Amino acid sequence: MFHKESYELHEKWYNEKFPTPEAKSAYFKKSRYEDTTSIGSWLQNLFFNCLNPLLKNKDQKWLTVGDAYGFDARYILKNGNQATATDLNTDFLSIAHQEGIVDDYRSENAERLSFEDNSYDFVLCKESYHHFPRPYSALYEMIRVCKKGIVIIEPQDPISKMPLLLFMVNTLNSIKSNLGSKVWKNRFSFEPVGNFVYKVSEREFEKFAAGLNLPLVAFKRINPNFYFSGAEGITADKKSKKFRSIYLKKSVLDVLSKLNIIPGQVLSAIVFKEIPAAEELIQLKKEGYKLLNIPKNPYLN
């Protein structure tokens, strides 16, 4: 019942915020910042650029999961690939279709996708996985319906890259109960609809791939979490004081992430079902991905 209620609350949220088709259409007209030079566009492209190595091969079929507004599918379409946008609630996607933002859309529950095995080349789940009531169920469904691989772009759990943080929290808790929670305030985060917020880690995707005897995972850390209200109205130009401030903060985080001192704010993880062509592997490395070959299970044929 808990999970059914959380799904229903998610579905209602869009219509509570944008109750009419006119309101939804107006939102699209205001939110096309991917076509501008704004800070909002610049930040959003930090996410979308993670897809570029995979989009160079044209006419592939993509499925986007949790793509409420269709913007993920639109980026894929603009780059010469096919895309079907899906979300639990398609009220927005139907307007996106009318506005020419998406070509194809479906109502889908990520935990029970209706597609046949290997229906799409790639499946993309961008900034939605951490909202799912049972994200691991969705992960197995996404890998089932793809032929080549899945792309998960989500907030990164810092603990696998910062074990000292866990040590500090546990030490403080041993001194006084819950003292450690004051240091790591978002260790347990919950949404108003009742779901736990699942942040991701490289290690969990390694284990997922190894458990299914899949050949390769790829990881890229990015630091795009600087959005603020009004970001669509300010040009991403270094003449702008606001942009200079964001750019400097991001640059510092990028250096610290590259040195493995801190994790990235967001992790782009690709789990491959088959080894990509050599040219694609080179492009992934060029775009900042770290590749990890998963050894074959010697006990399976």
Side-chain angles (χ1 to χ4, degrees):
M1 177 62 70
F2 163 76
H3 294 301
K4 182 176 184 293
E5 289 173 353
S6 71
Y7 277 126
E8 289 172 350
L9 287 169
H10 268 299
E11 286 188 275
K12 290 177 182 176
W13 183 88
Y14 300 109
N15 285 326
E16 288 174 356
K17 192 168 183 180
F18 306 97
T20 66
E22 292 76 18
K24 293 178 177 65
S25 183
Y27 171 79
F28 280 122
K29 288 179 171 62
K30 283 182 178 179
S31 300
R32 289 180 177 176
Y33 52 79
E34 65 266 33
D35 291 331
T36 74
T37 57
S38 71
I39 292 177
S41 172
W42 182 76
L43 291 172
Q44 191 61 210
N45 280 330
L46 294 176
F47 288 93
F48 284 134
N49 288 344
C50 295
L51 304 177
N52 290 347
L54 304 178
L55 293 173
K56 292 186 180 299
N57 183 8
K58 306 305 179 184
D59 287 326
Q60 297 176 115
K61 291 177 62 179
W62 285 72
L63 178 72
T64 62
V65 175
D67 189 4
Y69 305 107
F71 291 144
D72 301 350
R74 185 169 190 251
Y75 185 82
I76 293 167
L77 289 166
K78 285 173 63 178
N79 281 273
N81 280 231
Q82 302 173 47
T84 298
T86 71
D87 193 56
L88 268 175
N89 185 304
T90 59
D91 290 347
F92 250 114
L93 286 176
S94 65
I95 303 296
H97 186 258
Q98 294 174 25
E99 294 284 339
I101 292 171
V102 300
D103 291 343
D104 185 30
Y105 69 95
R106 295 274 295 268
S107 173
E108 292 286 337
N109 182 333
E111 296 177 7
R112 295 190 301 274
L113 295 173
S114 65
F115 307 102
E116 298 292 328
D117 296 359
N118 305 314
S119 296
Y120 292 87
D121 292 299
F122 286 101
V123 178
L124 169 64
C125 183
K126 171 182 165 288
E127 300 179 274
S128 293
Y129 182 86
H130 64 283
H131 294 307
F132 297 157
R134 294 175 294 250
Y136 295 121
S137 296
L139 199 61
Y140 285 101
E141 277 293 274
M142 287 187 278
I143 204 71
R144 178 183 66 79
V145 303
C146 77
K147 288 189 289 188
K148 295 182 178 180
I150 60 175
V151 185
I152 310 292
I153 306 177
E154 291 292 324
Q156 184 167 11
D157 191 333
I159 200 62
S160 65
K161 296 297 178 183
M162 299 177 68
L164 284 177
L165 174 61
L166 184 60
F167 174 78
M168 183 187 301
V169 169
N170 289 337
T171 300
L172 290 172
N173 283 342
S174 67
I175 297 172
K176 183 179 178 181
S177 178
N178 291 326
L179 184 60
S181 63
K182 295 181 179 179
V183 175
W184 187 7
K185 294 182 180 180
N186 65 342
R187 182 178 186 177
F188 299 106
S189 299
F190 298 93
E191 297 182 311
V193 296
N195 296 337
F196 173 71
V197 178
Y198 283 84
K199 294 184 177 181
V200 301
S201 69
E202 294 177 17
R203 179 59 179 158
E204 68 186 274
F205 292 116
E206 292 174 13
K207 293 189 292 184
F208 173 74
L212 293 180
N213 208 30
L214 302 177
L216 179 71
V217 291
F219 302 115
K220 180 178 180 179
R221 304 173 201 164
I222 59 174
N223 295 293
N225 293 348
F226 295 99
Y227 182 81
F228 59 94
S229 179
E232 295 86 0
I234 302 176
T235 302
D237 189 308
K238 290 185 180 177
K239 293 179 182 178
S240 161
K241 184 178 179 181
K242 184 67 174 180
F243 180 70
R244 285 201 311 271
S245 174
I246 291 173
Y247 188 87
L248 178 60
K249 291 175 184 175
K250 177 186 176 301
S251 297
V252 171
L253 292 182
D254 287 346
V255 170
L256 295 176
S257 297
K258 192 171 183 179
L259 294 173
N260 288 318
I261 295 173
I262 62 171
Q265 294 173 332
V266 169
L267 180 68
S268 177
I270 309 175
V271 181
F272 288 97
K273 285 180 79 171
E274 59 183 42
I275 297 290
E279 184 179 336
E280 195 169 40
L281 292 173
I282 292 171
Q283 195 62 40
L284 285 163
K285 291 179 181 178
K286 184 178 178 181
E287 295 284 342
Y289 275 94
K290 178 185 71 175
L291 307 183
L292 178 65
N293 291 294
I294 306 297
K296 283 188 173 293
N297 187 331
Y299 302 104
L300 294 177
N301 294 327

